[in-house]
Amino acid sequence: WEAYTMASSLDLQREFQALCKNVYFQPPESVKLSYPCIIYKRSAGDTRFADNKKYSYTAGYDVVVVEMDPDRKLATDVYTHFVYCREGSPYISNNLYHSPFTIYF
């Protein structure tokens, strides 16, 4: 099928680094995070079908923006930067503001 489009996680890493210097791809628990940061991992992609076959596919990523600022400026920057971005429910943990997203890239 011809409409298979998927940028690499390195391409996404570069996009994130344009917004924030602390970007982590599937970090192990032993990594000490610096804030604000963007944490991401692969998730289910978006497959479109037509004529009883796969027509297009876009890779999906689960993203969490973690910051100390309750105004969530970095989270807003991430949300507005990516065209195919769906926001989850923000939450607070350990006095840090977590903003989850699903990005198709």
Side-chain angles (χ1 to χ4, degrees):
W1 42 303
E2 297 175 21
Y4 177 81
T5 58
M6 185 175 87
S8 75
S9 59
L10 290 177
D11 293 331
L12 183 57
Q13 177 89 15
R14 283 190 280 276
E15 293 286 325
F16 284 143
Q17 287 175 329
L19 301 171
C20 177
K21 69 177 184 173
N22 302 315
V23 180
Y24 304 95
F25 179 68
Q26 299 178 325
E29 295 209 11
S30 60
V31 171
K32 182 167 174 25
L33 303 177
S34 296
Y35 305 107
C37 69
I38 299 170
I39 304 166
Y40 69 107
K41 66 180 180 178
R42 284 293 312 266
S43 67
D46 180 45
T47 303
R48 302 292 172 113
F49 298 89
D51 293 330
N52 293 322
K53 55 185 159 183
K54 293 178 186 166
Y55 180 74
S56 70
Y57 173 81
T58 305
Y61 293 88
D62 288 333
V63 179
V64 178
V65 175
V66 184
E67 51 195 323
M68 296 179 279
D69 180 10
D71 289 334
R72 301 176 5 160
K73 181 186 176 335
L74 178 58
T76 301
D77 291 347
V78 168
Y79 184 72
T80 57
H81 181 82
F82 293 95
V83 176
Y84 300 108
C85 181
R86 183 174 45 236
E87 184 177 23
S89 296
Y91 60 95
I92 300 170
S93 177
N94 297 326
N95 292 322
L96 294 169
Y97 297 87
H98 295 67
S99 302
F101 300 96
T102 300
I103 293 176
Y104 298 96
F105 184 79

